[in-house]
Amino acid sequence: MKIENLETIARKLVAPGKGILAADESSGTIEKRLKGINVPSNEENRRMYREILFTTNGASEFISGVILFDETIRQKSRDGRSFVEVLEQQGIEKITEGLDGLRERLTEYRKLGARFAKWRAVITIGDGIPTRTCIDSNSEALARYAALCQEGDLVPIVEPEVLMDGTHTIERDFEVTEQTLRSVFDSLAEHRVVLEGILLKPNMVLSGKESPQQASVQEVAEATVRCLKRVVPAAVPGIVFLSGGQTDQQATEHLNAMNRIGNLPWQLSFSYGRALQAPVLKAWKGDTANVSAAQTAFHHRAWCNSKARFGKYTEDMETAKAA
């Protein structure tokens, strides 16, 4: 394991103005998304949809890496290039997720051209949960995965997600997120994971989805930054937020407000799935005649989030063209 290589890749992924596209939906999730636009979820439609995303001209200005599902890293574009080659030619890094039988699969993915991996642990807030045991066992699993990644020369993206489902307040979300992140970094230290060679993919600190009291954009930004400052060491090169249940615009507004706070020890970036892809699906509708419109929608959404990386996003950009 060459730590310098891992550090270089981790920093490249959070280069100013860039973020990660999470295109790693499981078969069930992508089926639900395609069903939403009345498109059958067969392998060819999934392949066609991924190709729209991966071949968008100019996307590499704003997208540094793509998280791929196991099926996708093995697929090819219409012209016969593997998706790994397509992304390489755009200068975009590849990541894989869904790692059972970990050590062996990490070796295989590395040979297929992946440079980093992602593992997600889910924490739910409810009556009497999460328990300390739940948080600690999830943290232990994330740390073991991260150590194996670094051993296999891959940058681990560590994703502890506190779900926004529920009626909890932003204060309760803060408390659970802080506890979770503290536990994760304790476990990473125990497993001797080199922090300079990882990225953290956490939730933002939000009100529960069904909470009658919804926090403002500024409140979310301040609470999230305060929470991260308490527990995330400055050695971590970057934090790439998940969008969770937020709309595409909310995810951009929250990231923008955090970057406006400034003076932070890490890069604050994005690793969005639905928040980058929702407009693309809406424009595509499964029709090849709409591919150009779908790619324009993806480029525009990525551009808005790139601006948010600098705290320079404004609502007017929603109707403007990428410049």
Side-chain angles (χ1 to χ4, degrees), residues 181-210:
L181 292 175
R182 212 176 277 287
S183 176
V184 166
F185 282 101
D186 284 350
S187 294
L188 290 171
E190 277 168 33
H191 285 270
R192 300 184 175 180
V193 171
V194 179
L195 297 183
E196 289 83 355
I198 75 162
L199 292 176
L200 178 69
K201 179 171 177 173
N203 53 285
M204 296 179 191
V205 177
L206 302 158
S207 311
K209 220 173 183 174
E210 289 83 45

Side-chain angles (χ1 to χ4, degrees), residues 224-233 261-266:
T224 305
V225 167
R226 191 165 67 249
C227 184
L228 295 171
K229 277 184 167 175
R230 285 188 184 181
V231 280
V232 181
I261 292 170
N263 246 345
L264 302 168
W266 351 258

Side-chain angles (χ1 to χ4, degrees), residues 15-317:
K18 294 192 178 188
I20 295 166
L21 165 67
D24 57 329
E25 296 83 4
S26 65
S27 308
T29 304
I30 193 71
E31 186 174 356
K32 214 183 295 175
R33 300 245 171 108
L34 292 175
K35 208 180 256 180
I37 55 165
N38 298 315
V39 172
S41 180
N42 54 44
E43 192 184 346
E44 175 52 22
N45 284 341
R46 292 194 295 272
R47 190 206 62 74
M48 214 181 343
Y49 173 57
R50 304 291 190 214
E51 184 167 345
I52 290 171
L53 296 170
F54 302 162
T55 58
T56 296
N57 281 336
S60 59
E61 285 177 64
F62 318 123
I63 302 293
S64 57
V66 178
I67 307 176
L68 305 174
F69 190 58
D70 184 81
E71 173 184 81
T72 319
I73 201 171
R74 303 169 196 281
Q75 287 176 322
K76 291 188 159 88
S77 62
R78 261 174 323 179
D79 58 16
R81 290 176 298 157
S82 72
F83 278 157
V84 168
E85 287 174 276
V86 170
L87 293 168
E88 256 161 17
Q89 284 157 12
Q90 285 241 48
I92 293 174
E93 296 288 346
K94 284 77 53 198
I95 324 170
T96 53
E97 192 218 34
L99 309 171
D100 311 312
L102 205 46
R103 189 177 261 119
E104 299 71 28
R105 292 189 75 190
L106 288 172
T107 306
E108 184 196 0
Y109 288 139
R110 186 72 178 75
K111 283 180 187 155
L112 283 169
R115 292 293 168 265
F116 49 115
K118 188 203 77 163
W119 189 284
R120 175 174 176 245
V122 174
I123 305 289
T124 305
I125 299 178
D127 288 342
I129 59 170
T131 61
R132 183 83 238 176
T133 310
C134 165
I135 290 174
D136 289 346
S137 55
N138 273 300
S139 297
E140 173 69 12
L142 283 168
R144 281 171 52 204
Y145 137 81
L148 283 169
C149 279
Q150 290 192 337
E151 179 193 301
D153 203 27
L154 287 160
V155 170
I157 291 187
V158 176
E159 181 179 11
E161 178 180 8
V162 177
L163 294 174
M164 66 184 287
D165 302 336
T167 56
H168 54 273
T169 61
I170 189 171
E171 290 78 14
R172 175 70 178 134
D173 198 61
F174 183 107
E175 188 186 326
V176 175
T177 302
E178 183 183 355
Q179 260 184 326
T180 301
L181 292 175
R182 212 176 277 287
S183 176
V184 166
F185 282 101
D186 284 350
S187 294
L188 290 171
E190 277 168 33
H191 285 270
R192 300 184 175 180
V193 171
V194 179
L195 297 183
E196 289 83 355
I198 75 162
L199 292 176
L200 178 69
K201 179 171 177 173
N203 53 285
M204 296 179 191
V205 177
L206 302 158
S207 311
K209 220 173 183 174
E210 289 83 45
S211 172
Q213 258 186 314
Q214 289 295 316
S216 68
V217 169
Q218 197 54 32
E219 284 168 333
V220 168
E222 286 171 8
T224 305
V225 167
R226 191 165 67 249
C227 184
L228 295 171
K229 277 184 167 175
R230 285 188 184 181
V231 280
V232 181
V236 174
I239 292 166
V240 293
F241 290 103
L242 58 93
S243 50
Q246 301 177 66
T247 65
D248 37 359
Q249 194 169 334
Q250 281 172 337
T252 306
E253 286 171 347
H254 288 143
L255 179 65
N256 186 64
M258 280 185 249
N259 277 306
R260 285 178 70 87
I261 292 170
N263 246 345
L264 302 168
W266 351 258
Q267 292 286 325
L268 288 191
S269 185
F270 58 91
S271 175
Y272 294 162
R274 190 168 38 187
L276 277 171
Q277 295 182 46
V280 187
L281 285 163
K282 203 172 160 189
W284 177 47
K285 300 186 184 78
D287 187 340
T288 45
N290 296 331
V291 165
S292 175
Q295 291 188 324
T296 301
F298 176 52
H299 187 272
H300 179 262
R301 198 73 245 143
W303 172 68
C304 286
N305 282 298
S306 171
K307 291 292 184 192
R309 289 277 278 108
F310 300 108
K312 291 188 172 161
Y313 162 83
T314 62
E315 209 178 327
D316 297 348
M317 289 175 183

